Amino acid sequence: LLLIAADGSKTLVNCGEGCQRSFLESGASSGAPSTSTNTHAYTYTYTSTSVRVSSVHRICLTHIGHDALGGLPGMILTTADVAESAARDFQRRMTKEANGTS
């Protein structure tokens, strides 16, 4: 379950095995219509919309069990890889600007 707050922040509730696969599949079917219900500050989305794994701001675990955190190690590694790649790209751009090349 992915909760999207009014400010756009995303909270993933539980991170079971196959969670990343769901994110990838939602990107492939991003043209599908979504049904959302606004309740208080959150929008509950019932069908797939395109969401990147790295866009999740927080993960809430409802209990300690494989069904709730089996996919957490992979999720952490994926977001760390995305952050590291972004840092390398930023460093390359800054180096090019410092050297006066584009």
Side-chain angles (χ1 to χ4, degrees):
L1 176 65
L2 183 66
L3 302 175
I4 304 173
D7 67 357
S9 65
K10 296 172 185 72
T11 301
L12 178 65
V13 179
N14 293 329
C15 187
E17 194 67 40
C19 187
Q20 288 185 74
R21 182 181 307 260
S22 296
F23 277 92
L24 291 172
E25 290 172 357
S26 75
S29 63
S30 61
S34 63
T35 304
S36 300
T37 304
N38 290 329
T39 305
H40 304 294
Y42 291 99
T43 300
Y44 300 92
T45 304
Y46 298 107
T47 61
S48 296
T49 57
S50 182
V51 178
R52 292 176 291 124
V53 171
S54 60
S55 71
V56 173
H57 295 94
R58 66 190 65 82
I59 299 173
C60 174
L61 301 175
T62 59
H63 62 282
I64 304 298
H66 185 70
D67 60 326
L69 53 85
L72 192 58
M75 182 78 89
I76 292 169
L77 291 172
T78 298
T79 53
D81 286 345
V82 168
E84 184 179 331
S85 176
R88 278 195 308 267
D89 291 345
F90 179 75
Q91 184 179 15
R92 279 190 215 115
R93 282 196 315 267
M94 292 299 107
T95 301
K96 284 181 181 180
E97 284 182 20
N99 293 334
T101 61
S102 41

